[in-house]
Amino acid sequence: MTDKNEKHKKSMEKQKEKVDSRIEEASIEKGVVILLTGNGKGKSSSAFGMVLRAMGYGHKIGVVQFIKGAQLSGEEIFIRDLVTQNKYPEITFYQMGTGFTWNTQDRTSDIEAAERTWAEVVPLLQDESYDLVVLDELTYMIAYKYLDEQMILDAIANRPPNQSVIVTGRGGGSALQELADTVSEVKDIKHAFKAGVKARQGVDY
Ligand code: ATP
Ligand code: MG
């Protein structure tokens, strides 16, 4: 065996030892809170990747999107189709929809829409039959102070122990980061949009 191969083998063995011991050390069984944040692309699509993963096991899933819903997305089309065709009965989907404007011209109606949407989240976070709850773009509700931060933190913290929650969106604040078990920041290195490339169906929405 060449020197290079021998070195590689040794380093892989070491790596395996490390991973194996960490796997052995992990002994806690519980649902997790995952925060996907940062300015780069890939937060919501990662969350929907986990939805797909959970669906593979027939898990019960709740998806609530804190977006105005002007732009239809592939995931919305897909999930709505699952629901109406009764192809996957274990999924609940809600989108904030109309009444919300990003340019906060009508703060009162924005807050109403946010509160209406939060009212859909509460029963999910109290129902242990839900394995996974996705709160897409929730961070903006905290950033804009449309919803009370402590109310959100308490509801997530007091969820059933085996339920996992995924929160997506830029920012979100340190308290949410602290509560989360896993926090990933998607860093924007470059984005096609900035080079003038139009958002792509099936890729961006
Ligand atoms: P995705 O839904 O593609 O995973 P995301 O959830 O990380 O993206 P959002 O901030 O929710 O990002 O924005 C959603 C839309 O904005 C998508 O069409 C995405 O491609 C686009 N987008 C995300 N990040 C950037 C960026 N850094 N510059 C320009 N457009 C972006
Ligand atoms: Mg997103």
Side-chain angles (χ1 to χ4, degrees):
M1 206 186 284
T2 65
D3 232 29
K4 214 173 167 186
N5 283 350
E6 187 60 36
K7 246 191 178 162
H8 178 77
K9 191 169 176 278
K10 278 230 170 82
S11 123
M12 284 299 115
E13 277 169 3
K14 246 193 182 157
Q15 189 65 28
K16 189 179 165 3
E17 263 172 41
K18 262 196 216 160
V19 173
D20 284 353
S21 78
R22 258 186 241 136
I23 291 171
E24 229 166 274
E25 275 166 36
S27 57
I28 307 163
E29 276 280 4
K30 70 170 191 110
V32 289
V33 178
I34 301 175
L35 173 63
L36 302 170
T37 188
N39 296 331
K41 170 177 164 60
K43 301 174 291 293
S44 297
S45 41
S46 167
F48 284 101
M50 282 179 267
V51 168
L52 187 62
R53 193 172 267 180
M55 281 173 64
Y57 296 101
H59 288 181
K60 191 163 171 178
I61 305 155
V63 177
V64 178
Q65 294 191 294
F66 288 85
I67 54 166
K68 68 175 176 180
Q71 170 75 70
L72 201 63
S73 67
E75 56 270 24
E76 182 187 351
I77 297 168
F78 184 71
I79 293 173
R80 285 202 196 280
D81 181 64
L82 289 179
V83 172
T84 53
Q85 309 273 322
N86 210 28
K87 289 178 191 157
Y88 192 89
E90 302 286 63
I91 197 159
T92 304
F93 181 81
Y94 187 85
Q95 199 178 73
M96 190 153 62
T98 52
F100 188 80
T101 55
W102 284 111
N103 41 14
T104 61
Q105 279 167 6
D106 190 350
R107 211 179 132 77
T108 316
S109 80
D110 285 358
I111 291 170
E112 271 169 24
E115 283 172 348
R116 191 172 357 102
T117 309
W118 182 253
E120 298 290 325
V121 173
V122 171
L124 303 178
L125 295 177
Q126 290 173 348
D127 184 344
E128 63 173 12
S129 73
Y130 280 91
D131 300 288
L132 179 67
V133 176
V134 175
L135 305 174
D136 194 28
E137 320 296 346
L138 175 68
T139 58
Y140 303 101
M141 303 302 105
I142 300 171
Y144 295 163
K145 297 196 177 2
Y146 285 176
L147 295 174
D148 182 62
E149 184 178 29
Q150 199 54 51
M151 170 190 78
I152 291 174
L153 296 172
D154 289 346
I156 295 175
N158 296 326
R159 75 195 188 283
N162 286 318
Q163 184 183 86
S164 291
V165 174
I166 305 172
V167 176
T168 83
R170 296 167 197 213
S174 52
L176 187 58
Q177 282 199 19
E178 213 162 289
L179 172 67
D181 299 281
T182 300
V183 181
S184 294
E185 182 179 6
V186 184
K187 188 179 166 190
D188 181 30
I189 293 176
K190 66 199 281 199
H191 195 288
F193 179 71
K194 282 174 194 141
V197 183
K198 273 182 126 170
R200 300 281 295 169
Q201 189 179 79
V203 173
D204 292 298
Y205 62 90

